[in-house]
Structure formats: C-alpha cells, structure tokens
Amino acid sequence: MAISLSKTFLSITHQVFPSEKCRPVSFSGREPQLQRATSMGFATRSLRVPRVSSKTSGSLSSSIDELDKETREERRVADVWREIHGVDDWVGMLDPMDPLLRSELIRYGEMAQACYDAFDFDPFSKYCGSCRFTPRQFFDSLAMADHGYVVSRYIFATSNINLPNFFKKSRWPKVWSKSANWIGYVAVSNDEISKRLGRRDIVVAWRGTVTRLEWIADLMDFLKPISSNKIPCPDSTVKVESGFLDLYTDKDVNCRFCKLSAREQILTEVKRLLEIYQLEELSLTITGHSLGSALAILSAYDIVETGLNVLQDSRAVPVSVFSFSGPRVGNVRFKERMEVLGVKVLRVVNVHDIVPKSPGLFFNENVSPLLMKMAERLPWSYSHVGVELSLDHINSPFLKETGDLSCAHNLEALLHLLDGYHGKGHRFVLASGRDPALVNKASDFLKDHYLVPPYWRQYENKGMVSNEDGRWMQPERPKLDDHPEDTHRYLKQLGLASHH
Amino acid sequence: MAISLSKTFLSITHQVFPSEKCRPVSFSGREPQLQRATSMGFATRSLRVPRVSSKTSGSLSSSIDELDKETREERRVADVWREIHGVDDWVGMLDPMDPLLRSELIRYGEMAQACYDAFDFDPFSKYCGSCRFTPRQFFDSLAMADHGYVVSRYIFATSNINLPNFFKKSRWPKVWSKSANWIGYVAVSNDEISKRLGRRDIVVAWRGTVTRLEWIADLMDFLKPISSNKIPCPDSTVKVESGFLDLYTDKDVNCRFCKLSAREQILTEVKRLLEIYQLEELSLTITGHSLGSALAILSAYDIVETGLNVLQDSRAVPVSVFSFSGPRVGNVRFKERMEVLGVKVLRVVNVHDIVPKSPGLFFNENVSPLLMKMAERLPWSYSHVGVELSLDHINSPFLKETGDLSCAHNLEALLHLLDGYHGKGHRFVLASGRDPALVNKASDFLKDHYLVPPYWRQYENKGMVSNEDGRWMQPERPKLDDHPEDTHRYLKQLGLASHH
C-alpha cells in the first residue's frame, strides 16, 4: 500500500499542469457545477483531482476546471491515502501542492467546520452550548450527506475548567445543561465512501472557539506533565499546556453529559468502533480548528500512547491529525514523543494568524537550538509538532486587507486559501471552485465588491417558530443522548472504570 | 351613521366587564387560538370586541378570553367606525378604553409596523433602503393577508435632504437606487373587509426610523411656513418643522423613484383611489410610527387643506391619523389649522419615550399659555396636535426595566401596551392575546424568563441563497415600479404638473 507518493505526484503534476485549459469564472455563478449546497449546508465534494489552470494572477478572474473522467481514474484516494495521511511525512507533497492532498485536506477541514456550523452559541437559546442537530441528522442538516459519514457519538466537555472564554453558556436559567458544552463528534465513513477511500475511516472532529480570540489570553501558559492527568505517559518530562490537558481530562460527576471526561468518551468510542470494524482496512483521522486542533493532537497522542489503535491481530491503525490554525500544545519532549509514537500531524496555518504562535511566543521551536535547550525545562517553552503547511491570505485576490485578527484565524478563510494554493510562489487559483462566499459565513473578509454580506450565516428568526396558536417560541429540540449503554464495558477494558 | 359612541360605549362596558371569566394564560402557548402567524409574518385579527378579564395584576399571569359570538354581534366596526376615527374627538373612549377602538388601533399599528418588517435596512444588501416585497405580495409576505388590504402604490422619498440618520444606504456601489428610500405605502381594503368595516378604507402608512434615535438630533429644530414649500396654506404663520416638510416635498429629478416628491406621489394616488371608489362610503386613514407619524400628520393636513378629500358630490371623506410615538410637527397655528380643517389625530405614546417630547422640549403646549403666547413666534415653539393616549410601559408585567431609550420608542412594545390597556388605573391585562414575543422582534425589552431572544427577527442567511451551481449569492428581486402611468394626469388635475 505504501507507494512512494512523492514520485507518483511528480509524474502526475507533469500530466496535469501542461494541459491547461482556461475558463474564466465569474464569482457570482452561472459556472460549471462544482458544488451543491442547500439551505444551511455548505458541502463540497472533493474526492477527485481537480485540473487546475490559471491565466491571470493578480486579477480577480480565476480559472477552474473539472477533471476529465480519465484523469480522475489515474490517481484515486484509495491508492494513495497512506501518503495523504502522512506515512512519508508529506515529503514532496506540499510544494508544489499535491491536488489530492489538497482536496482531502479541504474535506477534513469541512468536517472540522461542521463543528462550528452545528454549534448553538446563541446565549439567548435554551440550547446554547449544545449541538443543533441529533447525531443521526448531523451531516444531512448541514447538507453534507455527500461526505458519506455517519456520526456515531457526540463528545461533551465540562465548562468547569479554567478557560472562561471558551465555553458558551445560555443567559437563561432553564437550559439543556448547566456545565456541559458540545465539543465535537466521532464519525465513520459509510460503505460507499469507504470503498472510494480504500479503507473504513474513523474521524474525530473537535470544535474550536467561536469567532473571538480571548481564550488565548486565558491559556495559563503553563506546561504540566501529561502523566499528571493520568494519561499513561512513561516520560514525566513530556508536558503539555495545562488548559488543554484539563479540558481533555476533566469531568463533572453531577452532569449527565460530563460525568465522563472528553478523553473517556473518545477512547471508549474509538475502541468500540475499532472492535466493530477490526476485520477491515482502517484509518483514524483526527481533525480540529484552533483549540480543537490542540484537542486533536492530544487525543491522537493519547490513542497511540495507550495502544488503542493496535488491533487484536497486531495491526496498528494509522493515526493522523489534520490540524487547522492550531496553537502549540506541548514542549519539545512532547513533540519528540509524538514522533516516536508515529502520530502524523499536518498543520495548516495562515502566516498572519496569531493562534499558531501561541503559547510559547518567546521560547519555541524557532529559537536557536542552544537557547531552546536552555529553556527546555521552563514551563513556557513550547514546540509545534508535525509538518506545517503555511498559507498567506495576502495571496488571495478575493480577500481584503483587514486589521481584524479573527479573519486570519478563520477556518473557512483557511479552506479558501487551501483551495487556491498550488505551492510557494505559484499563483493563487481556485482548484475546486469552492465557493469563496463561504469565507464570509462568519467573518468580514471578502472584498466588498463581491456583494457577500459579512457574517451572513444565520437562522431565520433566531430559530423562533410560530406554534399552532400563532405564538412565537423556541421549539424544543430532541434530547441528546449522553453516553451509549456499552460505554462502561469499554471503560473497563481500558482500565478506566475504577474512576466511576 | 354618526351614533354618539361615548354613550354606546358606556352601555357596552357595563355589559362586558361584569361578566368576567378568568382563564390564566401561560405565555408560552397551548392557549386558545387567538392569532395565527406564519413564517416571517406577524398578523393578528382584531376586528372583534374581546372580552377582557383579569385576576392578578402585578403578577405575570394574565387573562384572555375571546368574545362570545353574540357579544361580537353587539357592536361592529361598521356601525361605529366614525367614532373610532374621531368624529367626536374620542371623548369618553380612552378611559376606560373602548375595546373596539383598541383593537382598531392595534390593527392600524400593525399596518405601520409592516413598514418596518418589509423594509430592507441591511447595508450589505443590494436592495438596502428598498422594500423587500412587491406591492402585490406585500401583505401576504408578512402573513397579513387577514388584514384584507391590497397595496396600490409604494411611496419613495429622496435621501438628498438634511436628515442623514434617517435614510439607509447600501455600503455597496451597485444598488437599486442611489438616492431613494422606500418610505411607505397606500393600500385599500378589499370588498370583504370593506363590508365589515362599513366603508372602503384607504390607508396611507408611513415608515419611521429603524431602531436608532439619532435622527432626532438631526432635526434642525426650525419651524418654517408650510406655504414656503408650495403647500397651499392660506396662513403663513402656520409652520412645521423644516426637516419633516422637506422630506415630504423634496424630490430628485435624476432618480426614477424620487422624481416625484412623496407629497406628489401620495396626492396623486389618493386622488386616483377616491375617483375609483367615489360612489362608495369612504375613509382615509393615515398612520405612521415615529418620524412616520410626522409624515402622517403632514400628509393628512395636506389632503384636507387642498380639498382632495372632497368628492365630486361634495361629500368630504373623513381623514384621520393614528399616530404612534410621534414627535411634534408644527407650531400652535398648525395645531389650530388642523382643528379648523377637521383632521382628526389620535396619538398613542409611551410616557417614557423621548421622541414625542421632541422637538420643542422647552416651548410646547405644556408651558403656561402666557409664556406660549410670548414664544409663539420663536422658531422653536412647538405644539402637539390632536388627542393623546398615553401608555406607560411600567404597567406591563412582561417588560423589564431598561436604560435603552429605543425600547420606550418601539412600536411593537407600544402595541403590546395598547393590548393590555383598559384605562387609567386599570390593571394591565392582554385583551387580544397578541403575542408578547413580538415585542422582542427588534428590541431587548421582554423579561428574560420568557426565553424570547432579543432582536429575533432576521432572515435566514441574510437572504443569501444557494443557486443552481451551489454558489451562495443575494438573489435578484423583482424590479419595483416607480410611478403608475396615469400619475401625470392626476398631477395635472392637482395643478402640480407644471413642476415637471
């Protein structure tokens, strides 16, 4: 399976790029069918290699074309997914940018974005802090049925930790939960998409913070041994930011959603799914944006450190993280431990975003090795893990200059940048034709002349509906399940049941 | 037709009030069908005398009951509409509050509110400053089909006048009109509703300002003779606030919507409709909230001053104004001239609202007659016209204390106060069961425990829709007509054609 993709890629690029066909695309539509979205959904299909071409660069016109059927057959995700997931540490795949990797990154980014789109963060909603949809309706409600995944479990975290600006609470007394916040989901690819992917893909997607960046200031900038929160790390010098660690491991016995920690929820669910699909080819893909990236990295580490990804027949399921706009998570020892364990992390960032520069603004992987060596034991000496793919929003002709820091941190904007990225120094040309209007869903980043309102994504009447008596009210939502019945069995198997 | 309603009313109230039936009503619904509203619409039917009762007062429970069929037959709008429209200056109808007058006031208030609900004030909309709907779809789109009116013409005003905070302009260059704002409509009752009303009712509704109150500061606080803007007033000491007058009479020859002034649009349309329905019983009802009230009073004056309301058979069509939260419009001479002309004005205000105290904070109808006499010639000596019905939001147990001045000025809140008003010192009890949730459509005024989000009225995705290619965009709207073809004929008849 482990084809050397870097070589494959080179031959492919030669095939794809010379045969350029230019078709200018106006932003406002009437162009070839590149994606379909309905109602509140924002799906893109991107399981093919798009043929990319460009004529003008600084200008606003861009060129998009779909892959001819024959070309699409040439390289399939099913054949190269291990490379896409980092088996070779993405060597040679980032510059020039591998088209399949790009479309897969966008696909996973959209699964991270789904956490925002489904999150109820309206403080005047009874369900503030919850997910708007049931797991079963999740992807359908977001018009992402084409993604071909099924949510198997939601993950909740307790807000009783020291990250005040991360959690969303209703302003109202009578709410779905006083201390829980929905923080992500576990999903599994269905049979059809698994066939196209070449394996059964288990995805964990972690929600980040909604719009504001205050939570960065809340990070205590304090590294603590990962083992101090009962994650079985053999090396006590392996440390991570204590806020991330607490968020991952804390629980609240009085809350039906948080009586298990996010960690316990995720480990039991992954164990359950690996048991179900143990006879198939499998992958574990963990994604998240912003703070969600920190949780993605931490949980990926945890899964491999605990050996959870090793099946009964001793096969190790590859664990990869596609991180978007993520902060640093731990110290150099943590980074090294990740490498030893073989957890693959690809971090997509916008160079103008301050979040990936936090924490560890002064002592990080960029200072001289000698200084870093000296600073290594300090609690504020952080190091990024994995491989970085850095993009620059200045390169997109669709985006305007702005002093708003949250724009550079916006996930939709990052996916837009990905879509236009073909390598350092290459012109910005949208590859999939992913709708740039999505950038403004929750930001004010698109140039004004595209006539896309800033922050346009909103629900009709804030979800108020008129009931049978003509009275306007917030409808009740179906109750969310807390934890599957068999969770305890898996907790036991994981040696975690004693805490309950 | 001119039954003395004050006497009728007294006998009715004795019939209605003693037979109280108490039914506590929970706010959240499951109560008798009192109104119906769908989607973005907020209609109430209120052409009946509701039976009203109350048990508790300071508490939040209130009592609502529908009129028994027999009682409903007792007093019909068709029989007493002249009294409701002020033929006797509403003597004896306001305290205790006449139930039919109350429900009619709410009905006209909703027609004024429709101007806000239909107005596109999103600066990121291509159609900012316009009406969201075509005249034909107007009431249906607002779920107000039950009101039984048909819009016959929209009114536009030019923003090239000295009221910068009144007009809404798109932030974008390519817009429906550079200088026009939609400012109201003319509507006519259909056959069915006309039968119930006892006459064909022509309504003119003027839009006020959206949410903010800055426009008050823009008023130049300068009275000028009404005749100086070519309104044929025989007395040059009759003066009105110059900003209102300019808004009513100014035009912009370069704009297809504003090449006629609001005045010319309204006069020609009223003339046209009176011609069509000249053989029927007729009424002219003019309504408006806030600045819209000033235009309502000014246009009502104009219609009577010019004799437009006198039919060929010499019958004078009664002209009445139902004003909501309106500022003062002119000086004492203007008030006196209104009385001479027989223009009836009922002004509904919230005592905590600053707008009805403007302009003329220092010299107005409340100072001593001697002082007023002295100040009369000063340009800042204002007087309210007509009869005032003052309500106090402190009396509603649904509303919270707030320092937000715009709450006391909010039209939906005022209609809510009307619905609970039964006379000075009477307990606040909702008469029609009009949904209090409507109060928070565009304000933050309801007590939090009702769980109604503040400012909840909004369009899904700010009106963005996904087109056939899956791209999100602002849909085109049908072009609005400017002026009917026969406008010029009526301009001629009115002696206004020479200006064109």
Side-chain angles (χ1 to χ4, degrees):
Chain A
M1 272 310 243
I3 304 157
S4 168
L5 184 68
S6 47
K7 282 174 207 147
T8 316
F9 173 72
L10 285 171
S11 64
I12 294 288
T13 47
H14 282 291
Q15 284 175 340
V16 174
F17 282 85
S19 62
E20 285 183 0
K21 228 168 74 189
C22 288
R23 181 135 51 116
V25 163
S26 83
F27 179 52
S28 58
R30 308 252 173 89
E31 286 307 316
Q33 291 203 321
L34 289 158
Q35 62 179 58
R36 227 162 238 305
T38 61
S39 182
M40 297 298 290
F42 313 90
T44 19
R45 309 186 91 217
S46 40
L47 276 169
R48 51 183 181 236
V49 187
R51 175 187 287 175
V52 181
S53 60
S54 83
K55 192 155 59 178
T56 54
S57 104
S59 90
L60 289 166
S61 72
S62 39
S63 306
I64 302 173
D65 200 347
E66 285 194 280
L67 186 71
D68 299 333
K69 276 245 168 99
E70 319 83 76
T71 326
R72 194 191 301 172
E73 298 308 318
E74 282 178 21
R75 264 179 91 226
R76 298 182 314 133
V77 173
D79 300 327
V80 293
W81 70 267
R82 288 177 184 272
E83 289 71 25
I84 288 171
H85 284 243
V87 68
D88 296 326
D89 295 309
W90 297 282
V91 171
M93 297 181 76
L94 302 178
D95 191 11
M97 185 70 196
D98 180 284
L100 255 192
L101 172 59
R102 179 177 49 233
S103 63
E104 284 295 275
L105 277 173
I106 290 175
R107 192 169 67 83
Y108 286 111
E110 285 172 346
M111 293 181 85
Q113 176 68 34
C115 294
Y116 293 122
D117 291 341
F119 185 49
D120 185 343
F121 54 88
D122 180 354
F124 293 98
S125 163
K126 285 188 285 191
Y127 300 95
C128 181
S130 170
C131 180
R132 291 181 175 271
F133 317 113
T134 61
R136 192 177 288 269
Q137 304 163 319
F138 187 81
F139 289 113
D140 278 350
S141 302
L142 296 166
M144 289 173 72
D146 279 357
H147 275 57
Y149 283 73
V150 177
V151 171
S152 70
R153 184 166 178 170
Y154 280 167
I155 315 165
F156 300 92
T158 171
S159 56
N160 299 333
I161 70 157
N162 199 7
L163 272 177
N165 282 309
F166 176 64
F167 290 97
K168 290 285 170 184
K169 287 195 178 181
S170 181
R171 297 222 191 148
W172 289 331
K174 195 185 144 196
V175 292
W176 72 288
S177 165
K178 288 222 183 299
S179 69
N181 254 215
W182 177 71
I183 199 174
Y185 63 87
V186 184
V188 191
S189 56
N190 65 23
D191 292 350
E192 187 196 341
I193 210 81
S194 297
K195 207 172 161 191
R196 289 166 68 193
L197 295 176
R199 84 285 182 189
R200 183 77 60 180
D201 188 32
I202 299 170
V203 167
V204 182
W206 295 93
R207 179 177 64 77
T209 42
V210 182
T211 60
R212 299 216 174 170
L213 296 181
E214 285 90 343
W215 64 272
I216 300 179
D218 298 332
L219 292 180
M220 281 171 296
D221 213 0
F222 176 73
L223 287 160
K224 74 174 173 182
I226 208 163
S227 53
S228 61
N229 283 29
K230 296 181 181 164
I231 297 181
C233 179
D235 181 352
S236 66
T237 65
V238 173
K239 295 176 182 175
V240 293
E241 208 286 323
S242 62
F244 300 150
L245 191 58
D246 291 349
L247 181 59
Y248 183 59
T249 61
D250 278 11
K251 54 184 145 188
D252 177 354
V253 290
N254 298 316
C255 168
R256 80 181 173 97
F257 294 101
C258 311
K259 66 185 178 192
L260 298 182
S261 65
R263 176 179 189 237
E264 288 166 340
Q265 295 168 60
I266 209 76
L267 293 187
T268 53
E269 183 62 12
V270 168
K271 183 147 188 73
R272 192 178 73 86
L273 293 173
L274 291 178
E275 198 175 283
I276 293 172
Y277 299 108
Q278 58 183 310
L279 299 178
E280 302 183 25
E281 191 83 45
L282 280 161
S283 63
L284 252 167
T285 315
I286 310 189
T287 188
H289 170 254
S290 187
L291 194 143
S293 156
L295 292 168
I297 289 168
L298 210 45
S299 55
Y301 157 80
D302 192 14
I303 286 167
V304 181
E305 182 70 89
T306 56
L308 192 64
N309 64 319
V310 180
L311 302 177
Q312 283 189 321
D313 62 6
S314 301
R315 271 188 303 148
V317 175
V319 177
S320 344
V321 175
F322 292 123
S323 146
F324 299 91
S325 314
R328 295 188 183 93
V329 175
N331 61 3
V332 176
R333 291 271 186 261
F334 177 66
K335 167 201 153 82
E336 290 165 354
R337 184 75 192 156
M338 290 282 279
E339 287 166 358
V340 167
L341 294 171
V343 186
K344 301 300 181 180
V345 180
L346 182 58
R347 291 180 300 100
V348 187
V349 301
N350 180 342
V351 292
H352 303 282
D353 183 10
I354 60 163
V355 172
K357 299 179 176 69
S358 320
L361 193 58
F362 301 111
F363 291 100
N364 57 51
E365 67 281 355
N366 296 325
V367 303
S368 77
L370 182 66
L371 197 59
M372 193 62 174
K373 194 82 193 159
M374 287 164 61
E376 221 162 68
R377 287 175 185 282
L378 298 176
W380 50 80
S381 158
Y382 286 79
S383 174
H384 266 308
V385 300
V387 173
E388 184 171 278
L389 172 58
S390 77
L391 309 173
D392 185 339
H393 70 242
I394 302 290
N395 294 332
S396 167
F398 293 92
L399 305 179
K400 63 185 177 187
E401 279 185 57
T402 169
D404 183 349
L405 287 176
S406 68
C407 283
H409 186 55
N410 187 280
L411 177 53
E412 279 290 0
L414 197 63
L415 299 181
H416 163 76
L417 295 181
L418 255 179
D419 197 27
Y421 182 75
H422 300 274
K424 299 280 176 210
H426 289 242
R427 288 177 296 192
F428 186 94
V429 180
L430 295 179
S432 78
R434 197 171 187 280
D435 190 357
L438 298 174
V439 169
N440 265 11
K441 259 161 74 177
S443 77
D444 183 3
F445 205 1
L446 276 180
K447 285 178 178 165
D448 277 3
H449 64 256
Y450 293 115
L451 306 187
V452 178
Y455 302 93
W456 59 263
R457 189 168 191 273
Q458 61 182 29
Y459 286 84
E460 184 176 7
N461 294 330
K462 297 194 176 178
M464 295 276 281
V465 294
S466 171
N467 73 4
E468 67 270 23
D469 301 323
R471 285 172 180 274
W472 288 90
M473 55 190 307
Q474 294 193 47
E476 302 289 326
R477 292 189 196 150
K479 273 194 180 164
L480 292 177
D481 290 329
D482 39 33
H483 310 296
E485 278 183 27
D486 52 1
T487 299
H488 199 72
R489 180 158 70 90
Y490 294 107
L491 278 174
K492 262 188 181 164
Q493 291 181 15
L494 290 164
L496 299 169
S498 53
H499 310 309
H500 298 274
Chain B
M1 271 310 242
I3 304 156
S4 166
L5 185 68
S6 47
K7 282 173 207 151
T8 317
F9 173 71
L10 285 170
S11 65
I12 294 288
T13 49
H14 282 291
Q15 284 176 337
V16 174
F17 283 86
S19 63
E20 288 183 358
K21 230 169 73 188
C22 288
R23 182 136 49 117
V25 163
S26 82
F27 179 53
S28 58
R30 309 252 173 90
E31 287 308 315
Q33 290 204 321
L34 289 157
Q35 63 178 59
R36 240 181 221 293
T38 61
S39 182
M40 295 299 288
F42 311 91
T44 21
R45 309 185 90 217
S46 42
L47 275 171
R48 51 184 181 236
V49 187
R51 176 187 287 175
V52 181
S53 60
S54 82
K55 194 154 60 178
T56 54
S57 101
S59 90
L60 289 167
S61 74
S62 41
S63 307
I64 303 172
D65 201 347
E66 281 196 284
L67 186 70
D68 299 332
K69 279 244 165 99
E70 318 85 76
T71 325
R72 194 191 301 172
E73 298 308 319
E74 281 177 22
R75 266 179 91 226
R76 299 181 315 133
V77 174
D79 300 328
V80 293
W81 70 268
R82 287 176 186 275
E83 288 71 25
I84 288 171
H85 285 243
V87 69
D88 296 327
D89 295 310
W90 298 283
V91 171
M93 297 180 77
L94 302 178
D95 190 12
M97 184 71 197
D98 180 283
L100 256 192
L101 172 59
R102 179 178 47 232
S103 62
E104 285 294 275
L105 276 174
I106 290 175
R107 191 169 66 83
Y108 287 112
E110 286 172 346
M111 293 180 83
Q113 176 68 35
C115 295
Y116 293 121
D117 292 340
F119 185 51
D120 185 343
F121 54 90
D122 180 355
F124 293 98
S125 163
K126 282 188 287 190
Y127 300 95
C128 181
S130 170
C131 180
R132 290 181 175 273
F133 317 114
T134 61
R136 190 177 289 270
Q137 304 164 318
F138 186 81
F139 289 114
D140 278 350
S141 302
L142 296 166
M144 289 174 72
D146 280 358
H147 277 57
Y149 283 72
V150 178
V151 171
S152 71
R153 183 165 177 172
Y154 280 166
I155 315 164
F156 300 92
T158 171
S159 56
N160 299 334
I161 70 156
N162 200 7
L163 271 177
N165 282 309
F166 176 66
F167 291 97
K168 291 284 170 184
K169 287 194 177 179
S170 180
R171 297 222 190 148
W172 289 332
K174 194 186 145 196
V175 293
W176 71 289
S177 165
K178 288 222 186 297
S179 71
N181 256 214
W182 177 72
I183 199 174
Y185 63 87
V186 184
V188 191
S189 56
N190 65 24
D191 292 349
E192 187 195 341
I193 210 81
S194 297
K195 209 172 162 191
R196 291 165 68 192
L197 295 175
R199 84 285 182 188
R200 182 77 59 180
D201 188 31
I202 299 170
V203 167
V204 182
W206 294 95
R207 179 175 66 77
T209 42
V210 182
T211 62
R212 299 214 174 172
L213 296 180
E214 285 91 343
W215 63 274
I216 300 179
D218 298 333
L219 293 180
M220 280 172 295
D221 212 1
F222 176 72
L223 286 159
K224 74 174 174 183
I226 208 163
S227 53
S228 62
N229 283 30
K230 296 182 182 164
I231 298 181
C233 180
D235 180 352
S236 67
T237 67
V238 173
K239 295 176 182 175
V240 293
E241 208 285 323
S242 63
F244 301 149
L245 191 59
D246 291 349
L247 182 57
Y248 183 59
T249 60
D250 278 11
K251 53 184 149 186
D252 177 355
V253 290
N254 297 318
C255 168
R256 80 180 173 98
F257 294 102
C258 309
K259 66 184 178 192
L260 298 182
S261 66
R263 177 179 189 239
E264 288 166 339
Q265 294 167 62
I266 209 75
L267 294 186
T268 53
E269 183 62 11
V270 168
K271 183 147 188 73
R272 191 177 74 87
L273 293 173
L274 291 177
E275 196 175 285
I276 293 172
Y277 298 109
Q278 58 182 312
L279 299 178
E280 302 184 27
E281 191 83 47
L282 280 160
S283 64
L284 251 167
T285 314
I286 310 189
T287 189
H289 171 255
S290 188
L291 194 143
S293 157
L295 292 168
I297 288 168
L298 211 46
S299 55
Y301 156 82
D302 191 14
I303 286 166
V304 182
E305 182 71 270
T306 55
L308 191 64
N309 65 320
V310 180
L311 303 176
Q312 281 189 323
D313 61 6
S314 300
R315 274 187 301 147
V317 175
V319 177
S320 344
V321 175
F322 293 124
S323 145
F324 299 91
S325 315
R328 295 188 183 90
V329 175
N331 60 3
V332 177
R333 291 270 187 261
F334 178 66
K335 166 201 154 81
E336 290 166 354
R337 184 77 192 153
M338 289 283 279
E339 285 165 1
V340 166
L341 294 172
V343 186
K344 301 300 180 180
V345 180
L346 182 57
R347 290 180 300 101
V348 187
V349 300
N350 180 343
V351 291
H352 302 282
D353 183 10
I354 59 161
V355 172
K357 300 179 175 71
S358 321
L361 193 58
F362 300 110
F363 292 101
N364 57 51
E365 67 282 356
N366 297 324
V367 303
S368 76
L370 184 66
L371 198 58
M372 193 62 175
K373 194 81 195 159
M374 286 165 62
E376 222 162 67
R377 287 176 185 281
L378 298 175
W380 52 79
S381 160
Y382 286 81
S383 176
H384 267 308
V385 300
V387 173
E388 183 171 278
L389 171 58
S390 78
L391 309 173
D392 184 340
H393 71 242
I394 301 290
N395 294 331
S396 166
F398 293 93
L399 304 179
K400 64 184 177 189
E401 281 184 57
T402 170
D404 182 350
L405 289 175
S406 68
C407 282
H409 185 57
N410 187 280
L411 177 54
E412 279 290 0
L414 197 63
L415 299 181
H416 163 76
L417 295 180
L418 255 180
D419 197 26
Y421 182 75
H422 301 274
K424 299 281 177 209
H426 289 243
R427 288 176 297 192
F428 185 94
V429 180
L430 295 179
S432 76
R434 194 169 191 282
D435 190 357
L438 298 174
V439 169
N440 264 11
K441 257 159 74 178
S443 77
D444 183 4
F445 204 2
L446 276 180
K447 283 178 179 165
D448 277 2
H449 63 258
Y450 293 115
L451 307 188
V452 178
Y455 303 93
W456 58 263
R457 188 166 192 276
Q458 61 182 28
Y459 287 85
E460 184 175 5
N461 294 331
K462 297 194 176 177
M464 295 276 281
V465 294
S466 171
N467 73 4
E468 67 268 23
D469 302 323
R471 287 173 180 271
W472 289 90
M473 55 191 306
Q474 294 192 50
E476 302 289 326
R477 292 191 195 148
K479 273 195 181 164
L480 293 178
D481 290 329
D482 40 31
H483 310 296
E485 279 183 24
D486 51 1
T487 300
H488 200 71
R489 180 158 70 89
Y490 295 106
L491 278 175
K492 261 188 182 162
Q493 292 180 15
L494 290 163
L496 299 170
S498 54
H499 310 308
H500 299 273

